[in-house]
Amino acid sequence: MGSQEPLIGEHEHQRLPGEERDALLAALWRSMAILEFSADGTILDANDNFLAMLGYRRDDVVGQHHRMLCDPTYAGTADYQQFWQRLRQGEIIAGTLQRRHVDGTTVWLESLCSPILDAQGQLAKVISVAADISSHIDDSRHSNSVLSALNRSLGVVELSSEGRILAANHNYLKTMEYLADDLIGQPHSILCTSDYAASEQYAAFWHDVSRGRFFSGRFPRRTRNGRTIWWEATYSPLLDAQGQTERVICIGNDVTYRVTREQSDREYLHLLSLGINETDNAVIITDDQNRIVFHNTGFTRMLGFESQQVLGKLPSELFAGHPAVIKSIERCHGEMLEGRSFHTEDLIHDLHEQPLWMSAVVNPILDATGRLINTVCVMTDITNTKVHEVLQYRVLNAMARDSSLAEQMNLLCEEVERVAPEVIASILRVDEQGRLHTLAGPSLPEAYSRAIDGVQMGPLVGSCGTAAFTGQTVIVEDIEHDPHWTDYKVLALSHGLHACWSTPIKSSDGKVIGTFAFYYRQPRQPSAFHHLLVDAGLHLCALAIEREASRARIHQLAFYDSLTGLPNRSLLLVQAGQAIASAQRNHSTVAVMFIDLDRFKQVNDSLGHQAGDELLRTVATRLQSQARRSDIVGRLSGDEFVVVLTQYDTQHLTEVVKRIQERLAMPCHINGTLLNPSASIGVAIFPDNGNDIETLLHRADIAMYQAKSINRGRFSFFSEEMNSMAQERLALESALRDALRGGDFELHYQPQVNLHDHSLHGVEALARWFHPQLGNISPGRFIPIAEECGLVGELGKWALEEACFQLSDWRRRGIRVPSISVNLSATNFHDLELPQFVTGLLRRYSLAPTDLTLEITETVLMDTNPSTNQTIAAVHALGIPLAMDDFGTGYSSLGYLRKLPVSELKLDQSFVRDMARDEAVRALTNAVIRIGESLKLIVVAEGVEDAEQYELLIEQGCDVAQGYYFSRPMSADDLEHWVRDYRVGQACVWGREPASGT
């Protein structure tokens, strides 16, 4: 509980004279809620503010006990009795009170109850001054004092009659951002804007206040910092005994936020009004009786209805005479009553009966009980879009079904006439001689269509003939009196045709290929809706006519290869099928040759695709020159060709194939470069190898693959053994994919021994694959398959990670393996991310770059992929050693040694195997070791199997050796035992017999 805050000013501790007190009371009576009750609690009077605050009439409360205003549970408590005891003792009670509103709800008041005592000091009556602070009260906390509530809600300032500030409470000072000493004594105008303070309006305001006039309203005021606020206040003059204004009490509140919000709301409503009225959409709102209570200007623009024709009407009344629209409106109203939104697209008619397509979205507005009180409908004109959609749907579907041009055009005319029944649509086609031919006119009299078919276009040949001749639209409103129809009006009028609008149909290059015409049964012009129909239909007409004209050409192109002019796969299959059917009837044979150019990719990569195309054309020409009239030559795809030999002598088939292969292998100049092309050929024979062309092609492909696998530039005839091999290869490929996914591969490791000090130089990781059904599959079988099906790169990455993991594990467990080498394919070096991948492995397994050696073969060095050299250089830059595997088996290895960053040469086992019994081979191995010595490269001899080879290699100064003489490739566990048991002195053991498999 708190006491009332005094006014701060010059009369702060002085008792006011009786007259002034009465005047102040009168001001408070007008601005505050005041209740007067007797000592026994009977209510004597209440002002209008109090009655309005609690919702009572004066007759409801006067004469009743004060407890009627309290909660019944409170009125019977000791607290209520103590309230009266304090009043009888003359104590002023101020604080936050709860009182009952007439509707039973609780109203929170900040109240000041002042007891009035008689001459004997007895309680005569009580005056209660209160303010409604319900909006500031948190029902969970009842301890707010009167002072804090008043400081939140009211500001009070006392002014002299001349407008000088005498006193102000804390709320007022805080609102105006002043200290009391800075504001007391200042003129009231200091709180106003300079323009207003100097205005006649302000002078008139004080003139009226000084003469006792009461003012209440919102006033702009300026704070000390120059900020403008809105002050909602009551100015109450206090009059002296002579009725003159002595002082003015201003009680008010800062309502800047409310004023700003109201202004924002007004601006929002203004913008909302602009948005609703300026949109192209039509908006209507109906009431709970489904009568229109609002429409925007867009509704008038779209449909032509004015307010007096719309407001108060049912929507169905606007479209009387259009049953389909009325049915849609009724369905919509039913959805609204169920509280559901509704969307429809309908063809409607405006005030002037002009058709338009409208998309309407209708939403219900429901009250708290779920009862429909309004609907809001937004309509969008979709005529242009819908016209195209309606016309295109059936016509494009007909095109998709490959229906005839006449059917497509008749469908278009029928759709036009369905949405515009007043129109008779017609489409004519113009031939190369300029004559008109009827394509479509389902509603035109048949006699009329026959009469105009074949008419020559010209400048005065009706609407269509003239439009076709001039390439311009021709509108004839009245056929009977228009010169364009002089020679044809009798024909037209006799069939009830009185107006005609014709538009030329033009091809993509601007040539007139037809006309699109609307006939009418009475003289008239086309409407805007008709223009939309023609705009949409013209495109379809041109598309259909051009499509028909191009079909023969397209059909021809579809069956021939555009580069070589040979039959493509589609035509080849048809022609070959026919040849096989004929051979079957005649009991003869057919040979199918599958031809694949060798190293064609290298031509493309080195000389460019233009050179590759020229080579393909050269091959096509050579094949055609070798084929007989009855033979079929075609191109399947890429560098694959097919020759189907019919009516040939089986005894001379091999000679024919040889002759074709020799012709293809003749040198040729491509873009100034001499090429020696070659081709691998597979041959399958009907009926021995198959009864249909697909089977024969597949088996010829198998034979070609077999020929290419032996050596390029060869040919091979299909056999069942080849088919078995192909099936086996396919099964291996599938198993290989599963093995990579399922982890069926494992690495074995073969030691590499330093021949100078007999220490362990390192180990080579070798992939091994055991299949549950196929058993052990050698690398010689699965590596080529992995290369062909694109899995060798994935296999190489697996081997790298597995090898790094194993070396790290050995190091962790004290198994001393100096380094590990891994074989990678050319595909791995196409991957520019290989260096990053290897770096990640070394970091993950805490290995140094020199712990890993990557072995590359000559195929990697000769690879033409531009990424290869870049990747090799990046790997070398990481400090990872590179070893050239199988050195000496290729013709170009020596040339690459001088420019590639290899640190090891691996002498191929074919040299090591024969060096003991072939002096020439021994000389070659010695030469390779000397090359390595001079280039400071480590030479590793592979395939060392006996003591004699071992001794010769030591004698020649070879650095490192590996092979069965030391150990076969072993599992990781077996290698651990080998390393632990390994001693330098074991060299003498190797001299007696090869080591065992473990």
Side-chain angles (χ1 to χ4, degrees), residues 23-38:
L24 178 59
L25 184 58
L28 290 174
W29 186 270
R30 289 192 296 271
S31 59
M32 301 291 289
I34 300 177
L35 178 70
E36 183 179 354
F37 49 94
S38 65

Side-chain angles (χ1 to χ4, degrees), residues 327-336 339-346 359-364 376-378:
K327 185 176 181 181
S328 181
I329 291 173
E330 291 172 350
R331 190 169 72 255
C332 170
H333 187 59
E335 293 292 310
M336 294 299 102
R340 294 190 292 265
S341 296
F342 182 78
H343 175 254
T344 185
E345 292 181 359
D346 288 308
S359 172
V361 177
V362 191
N363 289 302
V376 179
C377 174
V378 179

